[in-house]
Structure formats: structure tokens, C-alpha cells
Amino acid sequence: MAMPMIQHKHLFANYSSPVFYDEMVDQSGKVRTPYAAVMKQLAMMGLDELTRKYETMQAQMMRQGITFTMNGSADDDAALERTIPFDLIPRIITGQEWQQLETGLKQRTNALNCFIADCYNSQNIIKDGLVPREIVVNNPYFLPEMVGMNVPNGTYIPLSGIDIIRSETGEFYVLEDNLRTPSGLSYVYKNRSLMATLFSELFYHNRIRDIDRGLSELLRCLRSLAPNGKADPLVVLLTPGIYNAAYYDHTFLAQEMGIELVESRDLTVIDRKVYMRTMRGLRQVDVIYRRVDDEYLDPTVYRPDSVLDVPGLIDAYLAGNVALANAPGTGVADDKAIYAYVPDMIRYYLNEEPLLNNVPTYILSRPYDRKYVLSKLSEMVVKERSLSGGYGMLIGPSASEEELGKFAALIEKHPERYIAQPTMKLSCSPSLTDGDIAPRHIDLRAFVFTGGAESYVVPGGLTRVALEEGSLIVNSSQGGGTKDTWII
């Protein structure tokens, strides 16, 4: 007697994402061409095999210490260090789309660098009335100490992290510029390494652009900042230490670039020069890739109560004896109100039209903008100008009446602290979720390295995933996950 055939449900049988732009399927449910081969191969593996691979990957991440500390109090389980949730199904971007993004990202970071240089020198964009003076000089990240400072090669932002979303129309928009100490670069490389190991057959059958050159390019950019063009500079990565949420990021990058990982106690300043303490004595440091915020750099200039600082560091920097990456004060262009003026910066400094769109942004210190936003608050995303990582936000469509009322009062009391944007329908991508494949919202953090003759954009960057159904918050500090990004 013949055994009956067991019918296995197709892996993507119940997958649908009708309301938002879906990276894998179009509105009619047809698979988009870039995803066709990958979807077919994943379907052949089936859910059980994908789940086993996911468990294997999580175990490897735990053994390798690939972790991040999530938001929460010290007594809260949410504050525990844990592996970043990793989604096995890659996000795919076509080569043509990437070329558009790459060119636009280089244009944008070039203009932002010009703006920062202008802010601390001639301030022509302010004099010409394109950017209001108060938005710059009252910015908490504007550092008077940087006025008139000649930074190496004129490069204020050797490393930028630009957050990009795709809207319901399929267009790319820049959501945010991260220029102080952008994080997440290490996860781009670990995601790729784990995927290449567990899904070697997918890499064999698909032409995926390589990312290996990226860290060499970052090191090249850092070395190019060395004072007096020193041929063999000593580059170090300054970390706040093991309790920092992104400490894995710091250790990975230092190890992969072959540079020293140091804390403030490892450095000392003598005669306006920075030295690293070693077993063989002091070695002069030429370039510091710093992963600490401005206010923790030097207690003689900023916070005298800090234990993370290097006394005398800013004096050594102002004397031109050491380079800091990114330069102090770059946060002036990180400001969410300044973001609204980036298209104008591109036209002003480069005499070009912006290649990447901004999300429409309302400056709530303007009475007309404030009145309009308050009348549409339940449709808006409100952000505190100086905060990042998903903190200080209101997402109107999912907010309670109490939350809406609270933010309305905050806006009325301190309108200068906030901006607002219409709620963008972030695109969705298929994700392995609770034993099934379901759409989840995503964004993309692109990494741009600037220094020397040309800029470099890491192919693909870091796709971040909002793991909860319907959530638009992708930040790792708020529980978001990541996935590998393939340029096909």
C-alpha cells in the first residue's frame, strides 16, 4: 500500500503586506525580480531548517559576545545585555538603486561637512539668511571652542551614519543624519559573516556585492587625519568601557582595523600632546577615533565630574597635535531642526539639486508650524531635537490620548526643543517571526567614510527591523533587530 504524500505548506503561503510598500512583493502579490531566486531557495529549505539555522546563529552570537544593552533601568530585565535579534531573511537592494543611494549619500555628507566648517568659521549660510542663527548658536552641540579651529583636511565627519527609509511609493528618504558617534557598523560585518557561513548556498547562487573593503577604507580615512601628514600614525579607538551599550561595536572595529582599544585611563596629555600608556612606556597618539560624547572628552572643558575624560585632550587637539574623529561639535549638524535645512545646504555649498529626499519637517518654534502640528498631532511623529536612539519621541497614530496631551503640553511650553514630521509608512520586509514569515517595518543605516581623495559608502549598510507587528521603532536600544543587506 502506497504511503500518502505529505503536503508541506509553502514557506511564504500566508505572506502579504498590502498596506505598505513591501520589499519582496508588489501590490498584486507578485514577487519582485531581485527576490525571486532567494525566495525560491528559502522556500526549498522550509521553516524547520530556517528555524534551526536561526537557533544556530543565536548560539554563535552568544559565544562571540555579539551583544547590545537594551533600554531599561538597572533593576529591569530590559536593561540586560543580550544578543541583538537577527533576522535570517536578507534585505535586497538592486545595483541600480544602490548607485542612486551611494551618489546621494556622498553628496549629502559633503554638504553637511561644508555646513559644519562654515558654522565654526565664516558662518556665511547664516549671514545669507538660509539658516537661522538661533538654531545654530543655541544648539546644545554647538561648541564655541571649535570656532576658528583648522581641523585636519577640513574633515569634520570622517564617519557618518545616515538613516534611510523607503516610503509607500517606493521612493527613498533620508530620515536622520548621525554624525557624532554613529554606531552599528560592526553588525554589518558580523551579519554578513554569519549569513555567509549558514547560507553559503545562497551566496553561491547570487551575485552579492562584497563589503570587505569597508574597514580598510575607514582606517585610511582615519590615518589621513594625522597631524602634519604623518606617514605611519598611531590610531586608537577611545571607548567609555565595558558598560557602554555599544562596547561590542568598539572592540570589533578596533580588532578588525588593527588599532588599539583604549579607555581614558590609558591616555595622558603632556606638553599638549596625547600619549598612550604601554608596557614599554609612553607612545604618542596621532588620531583618536572616539566613541564617547563631546561632554565626556575633557573635564577641564566640559564636565568636571566625569571619570571618562582625558584631562587636557581638547587643548592638545586645539594645538593641532592630535586629531579627533569625529571632530567635537559635529552634533550641530545632527540636530533634528538643522536636518530640515540640508537640501538648502546642498544647493548653497555644492550648487546641486539634492539627490535624496528629506521627510517634510515642521520646526515647532515657528508659530504657524506649531499650530498646524498641534491640530494634527495624532498623525505626526514628534521628536526632541537633541535626542536619538528612539528616545523623546511621540508616534501619533499609536499614541494614547494621555500621551498626546502630554506632548501637546511639552510643545506649548518648550516649542524650540521639538520638530515634527508626518508619519511615514516605512517599507516592510519578510522576517522570520514566531515560527512564521511575516512583514516587519525596516530602515537602513548607511555608513559613509570621508577622508583623503574620495568618500566611500559601505555597500548595503545595516538594515534595522522593528520586530513587533506594526511597530515603526527599529532602534536596537528599543528592542529592534537587524538583517543582512544585499546589493544584487
Side-chain angles (χ1 to χ4, degrees):
M1 179 176 165
M3 295 291 292
M5 293 184 63
I6 299 175
Q7 298 293 322
H8 293 282
K9 185 181 74 173
H10 191 281
L11 187 63
F12 296 92
N14 296 330
Y15 185 85
S16 65
S17 181
V19 178
F20 303 93
Y21 182 97
D22 192 281
E23 301 283 337
M24 186 179 73
V25 298
D26 62 22
Q27 289 183 322
S28 65
K30 183 180 178 182
V31 178
R32 301 184 192 276
T33 302
Y35 275 86
V38 173
M39 180 181 176
K40 182 178 179 181
Q41 289 167 292
L42 290 173
M44 289 174 63
M45 292 179 190
L47 186 59
D48 289 345
E49 185 175 352
L50 278 181
T51 302
R52 284 195 298 270
K53 287 181 181 291
Y54 173 80
E55 292 169 351
T56 299
M57 181 173 286
Q58 288 295 309
Q60 288 187 19
M61 291 175 75
M62 185 62 74
R63 284 197 300 272
Q64 296 177 31
I66 307 173
T67 58
F68 193 95
T69 304
M70 290 176 57
N71 181 32
S73 67
D75 298 324
D76 187 351
D77 287 343
L80 295 176
E81 188 175 32
R82 62 190 66 186
T83 59
I84 290 185
F86 180 81
D87 182 29
L88 292 177
I89 302 177
R91 189 257 184 93
I92 297 174
I93 299 174
T94 66
Q96 183 178 4
E97 288 176 325
W98 182 251
Q99 185 176 16
Q100 170 200 348
L101 285 171
E102 189 175 46
T103 307
L105 287 162
K106 289 180 180 180
Q107 179 196 60
R108 189 177 184 93
T109 52
N110 186 6
L112 284 165
N113 196 80
C114 290
F115 171 72
I116 299 168
D118 194 13
C119 280
Y120 291 112
N121 291 280
S122 303
Q123 297 192 344
N124 289 322
I125 200 168
I126 296 175
K127 294 173 184 176
D128 289 340
L130 269 75
V131 175
R133 178 177 296 276
E134 62 272 13
I135 285 186
V136 174
V137 297
N138 294 333
N139 187 307
Y141 296 114
F142 179 80
L143 300 184
E145 298 83 8
M146 291 295 294
V147 173
M149 171 70 181
N150 293 317
V151 304
N153 298 337
T155 304
Y156 287 81
I157 44 173
L159 171 61
S160 307
I162 311 297
D163 292 345
I164 295 170
I165 61 171
R166 197 199 290 265
S167 73
E168 63 266 37
T169 64
E171 291 182 279
F172 289 111
Y173 286 81
V174 174
L175 184 64
E176 199 167 279
D177 303 299
N178 298 279
L179 309 178
R180 283 168 288 163
T181 55
S183 63
L185 181 58
S186 64
Y187 305 119
V188 175
Y189 288 89
K190 291 311 297 185
N191 287 355
R192 178 59 55 88
S193 174
L194 290 166
M195 285 291 289
T197 300
L198 290 173
F199 292 92
S200 55
E201 62 274 34
L202 291 182
F203 281 82
Y204 180 79
H205 291 289
N206 293 278
R207 297 176 61 191
I208 303 165
R209 189 165 167 185
D210 200 283
I211 62 173
D212 289 346
R213 178 183 159 196
L215 293 180
S216 297
E217 287 293 324
L218 175 56
L219 182 58
R220 176 187 64 80
C221 292
L222 293 173
R223 290 168 62 90
S224 75
L225 303 176
N228 303 314
K230 188 174 181 180
D232 188 25
L234 177 60
V235 182
V236 302
L237 191 157
L238 176 61
T239 175
I242 61 173
Y243 297 109
N244 184 265
Y247 185 67
Y248 173 80
D249 203 36
H250 308 165
T251 58
F252 176 89
L253 294 176
Q255 182 176 7
E256 292 299 309
M257 287 191 288
I259 63 177
E260 297 289 341
L261 181 70
V262 299
E263 298 181 31
S264 59
R265 64 187 178 212
D266 300 315
L267 302 177
T268 187
V269 177
I270 303 173
D271 295 331
R272 306 182 82 185
K273 296 179 180 178
V274 180
Y275 294 88
M276 177 178 68
R277 296 183 174 93
T278 76
M279 297 293 289
R280 298 183 179 180
L282 299 178
R283 291 184 62 194
Q284 186 175 351
V285 175
D286 302 295
V287 181
I288 299 175
Y289 170 26
R290 51 101 175 198
R291 294 299 298 269
V292 298
D293 293 335
D294 290 352
E295 61 265 36
Y296 298 106
L297 284 174
D298 186 339
T300 65
V301 177
Y302 305 118
R303 295 182 53 158
D305 61 332
S306 173
V307 296
L308 299 175
D309 311 59
V310 181
L313 176 59
I314 295 299
D315 192 33
Y317 177 64
L318 296 176
N321 294 325
V322 68
L324 293 174
N326 288 348
T330 56
V332 69
D334 251 354
D335 185 283
K336 291 175 175 57
I338 291 293
Y339 160 93
Y341 296 93
V342 176
D344 292 327
M345 294 177 199
I346 293 170
R347 298 183 186 100
Y348 183 79
Y349 295 115
L350 308 183
N351 196 27
E352 299 170 358
E353 282 300 308
L355 298 175
L356 295 175
N357 297 318
N358 257 26
V359 176
T361 302
Y362 301 95
I363 311 297
L364 298 188
S365 57
R366 300 172 181 164
Y368 178 83
D369 283 11
R370 182 166 66 254
K371 181 179 179 181
Y372 176 77
V373 167
L374 288 171
S375 71
K376 302 279 187 180
L377 197 57
S378 63
E379 303 171 16
M380 295 287 177
V381 173
V382 179
K383 300 177 182 179
E384 192 165 346
R385 286 173 50 188
S386 62
L387 297 183
S388 59
Y391 299 103
M393 285 179 60
L394 170 80
I395 299 180
S398 60
S400 66
E401 288 298 323
E402 182 182 358
E403 290 170 320
L404 291 170
K406 174 186 173 183
F407 260 82
L410 288 171
I411 291 168
E412 292 280 19
K413 186 175 182 180
H414 296 290
E416 74 284 355
R417 295 182 183 178
Y418 297 93
I419 61 98
Q421 298 168 331
T423 305
M424 299 293 285
K425 296 180 178 179
L426 278 64
S427 67
C428 289
S429 176
S431 299
L432 180 62
T433 307
D434 297 327
D436 200 1
I437 306 294
R440 291 292 183 266
H441 291 295
I442 59 171
D443 80 351
L444 176 70
R445 174 161 292 182
F447 293 94
V448 186
F449 307 147
T450 305
E454 61 180 49
S455 298
Y456 178 84
V457 186
V458 179
L462 182 69
T463 292
R464 304 183 301 175
V465 188
L467 295 176
E468 294 186 16
E469 184 176 2
S471 174
L472 299 175
I473 299 181
V474 299
N475 307 79
S476 299
S477 57
Q478 306 291 331
T482 68
K483 60 167 68 194
D484 198 7
T485 311
W486 293 2
I487 308 301
I488 296 290

